Amino acid sequence: MEIKLHEILDFDKVNHLLEGFYKTTGFLTAILDLDGNVVSQSGWRQMCTHFHRVNPETAKKCLISDTELANRMAKGENFHCYQCLNGLYDVAVPIVIKGEHIANLFTGQFLFEKPNESFFEKQAEKYGFDKEAYIKALREVPIVSRKKVQIAMDFLLDVTKLISEMTLQKKEQISLNLALKESEERYKALHNASFGGIVIHDKGKILECNQGLSEITGYTYDELIGMDGLLLIAPETRNKVLDNILAGYEKPYEALGLRKNGEIFPLRLEARNVPYKGKDVRTVEFRDVTEMKKAEQELIAAKEKAEESDRLKSSFLANMSHEIRTPMNSIMGFASLLPEEESKELMCQYASIIVRNSEQLVHIIDDIVLYSRLQAKILNINTRGFNLNGLLDDMIQSFNLPEYQNGVELVLGPKVDGNIEITTDYEKLRQIFMNLISNAFKYTHQGTITIGFKMQHKQPVFYVSDTGIGIPEGETEKVFERFYRGSNTRKETVSGTGLGLSIVKELVELLGGKIWIESELGKGTTFWFTIA
């Protein structure tokens, strides 16, 4: 199925993202569809808008550059840098959703090194540009490193793909809800058009019936004629049916039917008083609603699942929007103060804040992308052999940072003797430990966090144990739910995406293991897990 860009891209979110990224980093960006139409952009350099794009001859060079980059993307390149014929550099990466190339993300109009101004002066003379204004515009073009461009493009592409995939999921959810509604309406139409058992009775005695009644009840036609119709009703609802007969009730209602073999089944009855052979009798439709009931339950379950999925996705989008916006606002705010600040000390403080929030933003994006890949089941397992004690030493070193040395000490539990070698995905096992240790630091204000493993049946059982606030009774399974942070802590006091433990559980199960918790409120928590 062909994916249409305008059907899946939330342009408000993307435009806001590109504009914020431009204000923060100075990178001009644009998204072009495969026909070359600009669908989202954050601005253009004066060099292009006032000179290259307005002059017919240089504009042709711009078109050639755009076409060259687009052709490179169509050939399957993941990243391409190109110097346009007018002297500036552009970069493009493809936007691929569900394996389909749907658009290209461009950034550009910058230089990788100090320009040769004589080249541009000659260009100004050749095309009749105001030389002074043209060179001034040239000097406003930023000079950046290739590494910085690569990092910027990777970040923008990840976030843009995330927004696209979430928007696509939202539309798929809407389609699912419509399909469910249509299915329900079709079922009702078929149900209302079908005929069940029809019976004509006089004060309960069956005078006439159709073959449908015989099929529903298991009695032959001959057995039914002359029979007391109340014997077709289960004892527990016979009084209800008799009362409706005596009252001449003519609206549909439900009762319990009784088949010849003794089976009780849900029954829908609808009756009318009609004249028949010179007397007033009652005609009744018997309808076995067993299938309508295994179907109603399935529809209810599907509807509840769809609503829950929609709620979780809305919650996910809202939470991620907040988590991304917080460090982004800090980055933009302090970046805007740098050009006006004269104090070197304050400039260093601002730069430190920008770096710290940038790292937080990258961590958030990593969590989102990892969780999305886990949910989509597209994460590969790369196994290799390694020493477990070496992994634990790596964990201790990774958290030997000032921000984690605040009255809480990360220590190793008793080491298992010997050179313990295992074969599994090192990076994923490391990610499990990183998430569990980070989580422990959030909820432990004093004492220790202990990590290690024990050998059981020649297999390692890993643990991360803390002396933190503990988990309330009955909530140990909930901690693996998205965004759950415990009833004994305030959400605003604990930072992060709320995906850490969800990712842990998914990774443990991906590696063929299981995870469980031992906790005591006010005394601490231990996470135990195994891998295959």
Side-chain angles (χ1 to χ4, degrees):
M1 184 178 108
E2 185 179 0
I3 300 175
K4 301 295 185 181
L5 186 63
H6 70 275
E7 292 177 348
I8 67 163
L9 198 61
D10 189 326
F11 289 101
D12 289 339
K13 283 188 174 67
V14 173
N15 287 334
H16 182 71
L17 171 70
L18 297 185
E19 189 64 25
F21 194 75
Y22 164 60
K23 290 178 180 178
T24 304
T25 65
F27 276 85
L28 298 172
T29 52
I31 295 177
L32 277 68
D33 64 21
L34 298 185
D35 294 324
N37 302 308
V38 178
V39 296
S40 182
Q41 70 180 56
S42 61
W44 297 92
R45 303 283 178 210
Q46 273 199 348
M47 208 58 183
C48 295
T49 57
H50 288 54
F51 298 100
H52 297 160
R53 295 277 176 176
V54 296
N55 181 283
E57 294 184 62
T58 54
K60 289 180 182 177
K61 294 183 177 181
C62 293
L63 180 60
I64 292 172
S65 299
D66 291 344
T67 304
E68 172 67 14
L69 280 172
N71 289 339
R72 293 281 184 174
M73 296 303 96
K75 292 178 181 178
E77 290 192 11
N78 294 326
F79 179 93
H80 188 74
C81 180
Y82 178 81
Q83 185 176 23
C84 75
L85 298 178
N86 292 317
L88 302 183
Y89 281 88
D90 292 312
V91 175
V93 293
I95 297 178
V96 179
I97 304 297
K98 291 194 172 181
E100 185 173 345
H101 180 197
I102 62 170
N104 296 312
L105 176 63
F106 290 83
T107 187
Q109 302 159 13
F110 50 73
L111 298 165
F112 288 124
E113 57 188 13
K114 188 175 180 180
N116 179 359
E117 292 191 358
S118 63
F119 167 82
F120 291 93
E121 288 174 350
K122 292 178 181 178
Q123 195 156 261
E125 293 174 357
K126 181 177 180 180
Y127 298 113
F129 298 151
D130 181 330
K131 184 185 294 185
E132 182 178 350
Y134 187 63
I135 297 303
K136 180 181 178 183
L138 170 65
R139 291 171 180 168
E140 292 175 354
V141 175
I143 300 173
V144 298
S145 69
R146 293 178 182 270
K147 183 177 180 181
K148 185 177 180 182
V149 172
Q150 177 73 61
I151 292 172
M153 294 304 287
D154 286 346
F155 169 77
L156 277 176
L157 183 60
D158 280 345
V159 176
T160 304
K161 286 172 67 178
L162 176 68
I163 293 173
S164 299
E165 288 169 356
M166 286 183 172
T167 307
L168 181 60
Q169 288 177 347
K170 184 71 174 178
K171 290 187 175 294
E172 289 175 345
Q173 187 63 53
I174 293 172
S175 298
L176 175 61
N177 289 338
L178 288 174
L180 285 172
K181 184 178 179 181
E182 290 173 359
S183 176
E184 186 176 8
E185 289 174 349
R186 281 198 303 271
Y187 180 81
K188 287 182 178 179
L190 290 171
H191 172 74
N192 291 333
S194 65
F195 293 96
I198 304 296
V199 61
I200 300 174
H201 71 86
D202 181 15
K203 298 180 178 62
K205 182 180 179 180
I206 297 176
L207 304 177
E208 186 59 73
C209 66
N210 69 346
Q211 184 60 33
L213 185 65
S214 179
E215 293 172 357
I216 289 174
T217 64
Y219 291 97
T220 65
Y221 174 81
D222 291 336
E223 290 174 323
L224 289 167
I225 300 301
M227 181 179 178
D228 182 355
L230 287 175
L231 295 178
L232 303 178
I233 307 298
E236 50 263 54
T237 57
R238 279 179 188 164
N239 286 337
K240 175 184 178 180
V241 174
L242 180 58
D243 289 342
N244 286 340
I245 292 173
L246 297 176
Y249 189 76
E250 294 191 345
K251 292 182 179 180
Y253 64 99
E254 292 187 358
L256 294 175
L258 182 63
R259 304 191 206 276
K260 183 178 180 179
N261 62 7
E263 178 186 352
I264 294 176
F265 63 98
L267 184 65
R268 180 181 179 275
L269 299 172
E270 185 172 1
R272 294 285 186 276
N273 291 327
V274 296
Y276 177 76
K277 295 184 177 180
K279 58 171 70 173
D280 287 335
V281 296
R282 198 162 168 86
T283 181
V284 186
E285 180 192 22
F286 280 64
R287 184 165 301 189
D288 183 345
V289 292
T290 302
E291 292 184 4
M292 185 187 76
K293 288 290 183 181
K294 291 168 184 175
E296 282 184 355
Q297 292 301 316
E298 289 176 358
L299 283 172
I300 290 171
K303 182 174 180 292
E304 289 175 350
K305 185 177 180 180
E307 289 173 348
E308 176 66 7
S309 177
D310 187 57
R311 184 189 68 77
L312 289 174
K313 285 174 183 174
S314 297
S315 175
F316 184 81
L317 285 170
N319 195 66
M320 290 305 101
S321 175
H322 170 75
E323 292 296 339
I324 291 174
R325 188 167 57 248
T326 299
M328 182 67 82
N329 287 342
S330 182
I331 293 169
M332 293 171 65
F334 283 99
S336 68
L337 295 176
L338 283 174
E340 302 173 2
E341 185 54 61
E342 297 180 358
S343 169
K344 186 175 181 180
E345 182 179 353
L346 285 177
M347 289 179 70
C348 288
Q349 291 180 12
Y350 295 165
S352 177
I353 292 171
I354 291 172
V355 169
R356 188 163 60 250
N357 279 275
S358 297
E359 290 172 348
Q360 181 183 349
L361 193 58
V362 170
H363 180 70
I364 290 169
I365 297 302
D366 286 344
D367 268 3
I368 296 171
V369 172
L370 176 57
Y371 187 77
S372 298
R373 294 181 70 191
L374 282 166
Q375 290 295 293
K377 302 188 184 304
I378 58 174
L379 209 59
N380 295 323
I381 298 178
N382 302 308
T383 60
R384 65 181 176 90
F386 57 89
N387 183 273
L388 279 182
N389 289 320
L391 170 65
L392 297 179
D393 290 336
D394 178 18
M395 291 295 96
I396 296 294
Q397 293 299 319
S398 296
F399 284 88
N400 186 23
L401 299 171
E403 56 262 41
Y404 293 107
Q405 297 170 359
N406 189 23
V408 180
E409 184 180 7
L410 178 63
V411 298
L412 283 174
K415 280 196 174 182
V416 176
D417 293 335
N419 188 28
I420 307 300
E421 294 276 340
I422 66 168
T423 300
T424 188
D425 191 314
Y426 180 92
E427 293 302 326
K428 292 179 177 60
L429 181 56
R430 186 178 187 277
Q431 181 76 52
I432 292 169
F433 267 111
M434 291 288 288
N435 283 21
L436 287 174
I437 296 170
S438 296
N439 184 74
F441 271 109
K442 289 177 185 177
Y443 295 98
T444 306
H445 308 306
Q446 61 181 2
T448 59
I449 298 170
T450 307
I451 64 173
F453 67 94
K454 299 178 179 180
M455 297 302 293
Q456 291 184 359
H457 308 295
K458 298 183 180 182
Q459 293 294 324
V461 178
F462 305 95
Y463 63 87
V464 174
S465 183
D466 64 61
T467 58
I469 63 175
I471 301 171
E473 186 177 356
E475 295 186 21
T476 53
E477 289 303 316
K478 292 183 179 179
V479 299
F480 296 112
E481 296 177 2
R482 286 179 285 181
F483 317 131
Y484 187 79
R485 287 180 173 141
S487 61
N488 60 331
T489 184
R490 293 189 304 166
K491 179 179 178 181
E492 60 268 21
T493 64
V494 181
S495 62
T497 62
L499 294 175
L501 292 182
S502 298
I503 290 173
V504 164
K505 188 172 188 295
E506 295 276 355
L507 287 174
V508 167
E509 291 175 352
L510 181 66
L511 296 180
K514 62 179 181 178
I515 185 167
W516 66 97
I517 302 171
E518 294 176 357
S519 184
E520 186 172 352
L521 197 61
K523 293 188 178 181
T525 301
T526 300
F527 284 85
W528 298 90
F529 68 95
T530 61
I531 58 174

